[in-house]
Amino acid sequence: PWRLMAGAVQSIAEGTQEMTETLHPNMSLLMKLDLQNLDSCRDILSENFIWHYYNSELPELEGDHFGIDGLKDFFKKLNAKGSGGFLVNVIDARPVGDELIVTQVCNRLDMDGNTTEFDAIVVWRVVDSKIAEAWEIPAVNTIRTIQSR
C-alpha cells in the first residue's frame, strides 16, 4: 500500500550528522517513524498528535486528522482513492531549531489508472521529545504523470 522511504531519512540524517558532527535528537525521532506500522509509533507520537493536510485537489482529505487513529484513517482514505499504491520518497530533511523539522518529499500515487508524483513539504513539530504535529503541503499545480495505463 503506502510506505515511507525510511532509508532516505536515515541517509539524509547521516549526511547532516557528518556536516555537524552530531545528529539532532529530533532527526533521530523522525527516523523511527514507521508509516506502515503506526501502532508501533505510539512512543514517538504525542497522544494529541495532529496531521494538518492542505490539498484543494483532494478536498475530502483536507483538514486536520487527530491522533494515531486519525493519521491511520487519513492514509486509509488516501490509499482508497488510488489503486493501492502510495509511496513517500524523502528528498531532504532538516531540523529547524529545537522544535521543527522540515522535510521535502516526492510522493507517488496510483490513481485513476495513472501513476503520478508530486512534491510536498512536511513540517514536523516536536514537543517534549514526541512528534506533536505535522503539516503536509503538496505542490498541486505541478503534479506529474509518470505512467499511464
Side-chain angles (χ1 to χ4, degrees), residues 60-76:
E60 64 278 14
L61 294 175
E62 200 168 46
D64 295 338
H65 305 270
F66 299 93
I68 290 175
D69 290 337
L71 186 57
K72 286 169 42 178
D73 187 55
F74 166 81
F75 279 113
K76 182 179 176 182

Side-chain angles (χ1 to χ4, degrees), residues 51-99:
W51 178 263
H52 306 279
Y53 186 68
Y54 302 95
N55 186 340
S56 58
E57 297 298 312
L58 295 173
E60 64 278 14
L61 294 175
E62 200 168 46
D64 295 338
H65 305 270
F66 299 93
I68 290 175
D69 290 337
L71 186 57
K72 286 169 42 178
D73 187 55
F74 166 81
F75 279 113
K76 182 179 176 182
K77 288 177 182 175
L78 181 62
N79 200 40
K81 296 278 309 162
S83 53
F86 181 68
L87 172 72
V88 178
N89 184 18
V90 179
I91 306 298
D92 193 20
R94 298 184 182 276
V96 179
D98 289 328
E99 186 174 341

Side-chain angles (χ1 to χ4, degrees), residues 55 57-58 78 81-83 85-88 106-119 139-140 142-149:
N55 186 340
E57 297 298 312
L58 295 173
L78 181 62
K81 296 278 309 162
S83 53
F86 181 68
L87 172 72
V88 178
C106 181
N107 295 330
R108 185 175 287 190
L109 176 65
D110 295 332
M111 190 166 68
D112 300 327
N114 295 314
T115 300
T116 59
E117 66 179 20
F118 53 95
D119 301 305
V140 297
T142 55
I143 296 172
R144 301 171 294 281
T145 300
I146 57 171
Q147 181 180 1
S148 295
R149 293 185 200 147

Side-chain angles (χ1 to χ4, degrees), residues 13 15-24:
T16 302
Q17 181 179 5
E18 288 174 13
M19 292 187 302
T20 63
E21 298 295 323
T22 59
L23 182 62
H24 195 285

Side-chain angles (χ1 to χ4, degrees), residues 1-12 30 35-36 75 85-93 102-109 116-122 124 136 144 146:
W2 44 270
R3 61 187 188 271
L4 172 70
M5 301 295 288
V9 174
Q10 185 169 354
S11 297
I12 291 164
L30 189 59
L35 294 180
Q36 293 181 41
F75 279 113
F86 181 68
L87 172 72
V88 178
N89 184 18
V90 179
I91 306 298
D92 193 20
V102 177
T103 56
Q104 174 191 357
V105 298
C106 181
N107 295 330
R108 185 175 287 190
L109 176 65
T116 59
E117 66 179 20
F118 53 95
D119 301 305
I121 297 296
V122 183
W124 304 87
E136 181 177 0
R144 301 171 294 281
I146 57 171

Side-chain angles (χ1 to χ4, degrees), residues 17-61:
Q17 181 179 5
E18 288 174 13
M19 292 187 302
T20 63
E21 298 295 323
T22 59
L23 182 62
H24 195 285
N26 291 348
M27 292 294 286
S28 297
L29 193 64
L30 189 59
M31 288 169 50
K32 294 176 186 175
L33 184 62
D34 182 356
L35 294 180
Q36 293 181 41
N37 185 3
L38 287 167
D39 287 322
S40 72
C41 298
R42 292 191 185 277
D43 61 328
I44 63 168
L45 290 172
S46 168
E47 185 177 311
N48 299 317
F49 174 80
I50 304 171
W51 178 263
H52 306 279
Y53 186 68
Y54 302 95
N55 186 340
S56 58
E57 297 298 312
L58 295 173
E60 64 278 14
L61 294 175

